[in-house]
Amino acid sequence: MLTLEELKKDRKLINDIDWDITPDMAVRMYLEWGNIWARGEDRRHVVRSKSDYSVYFVVNCWSKPYYIYLIKRNSEDAVELAKFELPEQFHTPVCLHKGMYAVDGEVKEWLRKELNAA
């Protein structure tokens, strides 16, 4: 599993990141085939075959230390590609309650800057 520093060096992987996918959207796309269309969501996020996959971030706030994971998911598997600690300045706004959360707001901005991603 990659660290943040290792991830920064993998331009192909950074370019594969879908910054719009949330953990719940990924479940609907890959584990509940077709459900995403019923919700009227962006059709570029429709799974057409088993070879389709998404790469996205998720924040794990179940227990400290809190981690950000980079996940690669398809209809058969979810693989953790990278794992690194959520910076402390984001603990309060992101992890008020236990759970798994999408990367958004200030955390997304910080990650894009760290990874030099558009």
Side-chain angles (χ1 to χ4, degrees):
M1 196 169 334
L2 299 173
T3 66
L4 179 58
E5 294 307 313
E6 292 167 331
L7 178 58
K8 288 178 182 181
K9 298 173 187 171
D10 192 334
R11 184 56 36 201
K12 182 186 177 326
L13 184 54
I14 292 168
N15 290 337
D16 275 350
I17 296 169
D18 187 330
W19 294 93
D20 298 323
I21 297 240
T22 63
D24 59 317
M25 181 187 249
V27 168
R28 288 195 312 273
M29 285 171 50
Y30 294 99
L31 302 180
E32 301 173 8
W33 285 59
N35 187 16
I36 200 157
W37 280 43
R39 294 177 181 261
E41 295 183 43
D42 188 341
R43 291 190 178 207
R44 70 188 166 100
H45 291 119
V46 174
V47 177
R48 292 178 177 80
S49 73
K50 289 186 177 187
S51 64
D52 289 347
Y53 67 90
S54 293
V55 178
Y56 61 96
F57 285 106
V58 62
V59 181
N60 183 332
C61 294
W62 283 104
S63 62
K64 285 187 177 181
Y66 303 132
Y67 288 102
I68 297 174
Y69 289 88
L70 183 63
I71 307 291
K72 181 177 181 179
R73 176 177 288 284
N74 64 20
S75 61
E76 298 179 336
D77 206 5
V79 177
E80 297 170 352
L81 303 175
K83 175 185 175 184
F84 45 91
E85 282 193 45
L86 177 70
E88 194 167 329
Q89 74 258 30
F90 301 121
H91 285 196
T92 301
V94 177
C95 295
L96 287 175
H97 304 284
K98 291 183 179 188
M100 302 290 278
Y101 298 99
V103 170
D104 61 6
E106 292 178 0
V107 177
K108 184 188 277 188
E109 289 175 26
W110 170 79
L111 266 174
R112 282 181 177 261
K113 186 176 178 183
E114 286 292 311
L115 298 175
N116 195 24

